[in-house]
Amino acid sequence: MDKLRLLFSQLTSLLPSSDFSDPDPCIRLREGVEAYVQKSNDENLLFDLNGTEVHEAFYLCCLNFLHACNDLYESNAANDSADIPIFSVFQEKQLSSCLQFVVAYGVYPLLETGVSLPLSMRLENYEKFICPRKEKDEERIEKLMKIIKCLLSLRESKSFQLQRLVSTTSFLGDLIASLFQSAFGMDSYLRSNDFTSERVSSLMAYIRESQKILWKLLLELPRHIAMKELMILQGGTQIRVKVSLFLNCNIYNYCFPLF
């Protein structure tokens, strides 16, 4: 349990207080990143943060923490003599806050404009979570996939508390939005960047992987939940067309019968 306390000590140093009111939020975010990196002493994280701007660095630290929590649980669950981590109510709130930053700083800037619910409808003081959009980021798909893999690992975790973070009442919709953007919303992105054929080939591999993961996930969900989550995505122009086709697809209707 000492490892768990250490992890949450690192997270506490990263997360700003809920009422922080710095004129420039980036100052507090930068301080949090520096404190987290110093406490974690993770060379791989340092490598990932090299050259990133503060919002990206912040959500990468959040991803690092979430992976560490899941790894600790998986490791202890496999060891009969080890204590199984159980998160307190306060720690669960911190986990949710951590994932909230991943969504606001990691997912939303990479989504097509208008996709998913506006942050103003989801978060209090949403102005603190606004950051530059990155629809033309050359590593857009890779960054989305990194977030997707983290969310999937939580959803498939042996910890019911970590699973609950990616449930229908929490961040499942953000996982679906990320998958749909990566799987079906990259047409203009691929056209607007001068990629080599090798690069396009590697990106298409990510796209196909996203399609497979999305399809599997939707098949696991009750029909009404899958339909609701897909309907929320219909904000962006390209995404709206793709979702409409997806919803009207005979194969989809076959796989999601009414009864």
Side-chain angles (χ1 to χ4, degrees):
M1 301 307 287
D2 289 340
K3 290 183 179 179
L4 186 64
R5 281 194 291 269
L6 178 60
L7 277 177
F8 275 91
S9 171
Q10 295 170 12
L11 181 63
T12 300
S13 66
L14 173 68
L15 297 179
S17 61
S18 58
D19 59 347
F20 84 104
S21 56
D22 295 9
D24 182 3
C26 290
I27 295 175
R28 175 61 186 88
L29 298 180
R30 189 176 296 108
E31 291 173 349
V33 169
E34 291 173 354
Y36 182 86
V37 169
Q38 185 175 8
K39 286 188 175 183
S40 68
N41 196 28
D42 187 328
E43 292 185 1
N44 291 328
L45 176 61
L46 276 173
F47 179 80
D48 289 341
L49 297 184
N50 185 36
T52 60
E53 53 85 31
V54 65
H55 296 96
E56 183 175 349
F58 194 91
Y59 87 73
L60 286 175
C61 288
C62 291
L63 289 180
N64 178 271
F65 170 80
L66 292 168
H67 277 301
C69 272
N70 193 38
D71 289 345
L72 177 62
Y73 192 97
E74 299 288 321
S75 174
N76 285 17
N79 184 353
D80 294 336
S81 62
D83 293 329
I84 303 299
I86 301 295
F87 306 115
S88 67
V89 173
F90 178 70
Q91 287 173 335
E92 283 194 292
K93 288 182 179 179
Q94 285 185 300
L95 284 166
S96 181
S97 178
C98 182
L99 201 44
Q100 195 173 73
F101 278 106
V102 171
V103 169
Y105 292 159
V107 174
Y108 268 76
L110 297 171
L111 296 180
E112 184 180 323
T113 302
V115 173
S116 199
L117 292 175
L119 281 177
S120 58
M121 295 178 63
R122 298 184 57 180
L123 304 175
E124 295 181 6
N125 302 320
Y126 72 95
E127 298 89 352
K128 300 176 184 177
F129 295 90
I130 296 175
C131 63
R133 300 199 61 79
K134 298 180 179 178
E135 295 176 18
K136 296 183 179 180
D137 192 313
E138 290 191 359
E139 296 182 350
R140 184 182 181 192
I141 295 181
E142 289 93 336
K143 290 177 179 179
L144 269 176
M145 287 302 296
K146 182 176 289 189
I147 296 170
I148 287 168
K149 293 295 177 66
C150 180
L151 294 177
L152 283 174
S153 70
L154 297 178
R155 176 175 165 78
E156 297 167 359
S157 174
K158 294 179 180 178
S159 165
F160 73 92
Q161 291 174 296
L162 294 178
Q163 287 178 20
R164 200 158 54 196
L165 288 172
V166 195
S167 65
T168 54
T169 56
S170 294
F171 296 96
L172 175 64
D174 299 296
L175 172 57
I176 293 175
S178 301
L179 282 167
F180 215 101
Q181 181 69 65
S182 179
F184 298 109
M186 292 297 180
D187 295 351
S188 60
Y189 165 75
L190 292 174
R191 289 195 302 268
S192 63
N193 289 281
D194 187 20
F195 293 129
T196 64
S197 57
E198 291 81 7
R199 176 84 170 122
V200 170
S201 178
S202 66
L203 293 177
M204 290 304 298
Y206 282 123
I207 290 172
R208 286 191 292 270
E209 182 182 4
S210 298
Q211 291 171 349
K212 291 178 181 178
I213 296 172
L214 175 63
W215 191 255
K216 180 177 181 293
L217 177 59
L218 291 175
L219 287 174
E220 293 173 354
L221 295 174
R223 175 188 168 92
H224 69 283
I225 292 176
M227 293 285 284
K228 183 194 75 171
E229 296 295 347
L230 288 174
M231 292 296 290
I232 291 173
L233 297 179
Q234 298 190 83
T237 305
Q238 296 293 329
I239 292 291
R240 181 170 60 249
V241 173
K242 297 292 178 67
V243 173
S244 297
L245 290 172
F246 201 74
L247 289 172
N248 293 321
C249 176
N250 289 331
I251 296 177
Y252 179 81
N253 291 328
Y254 172 77
C255 291
F256 292 91
L258 288 173
F259 303 101

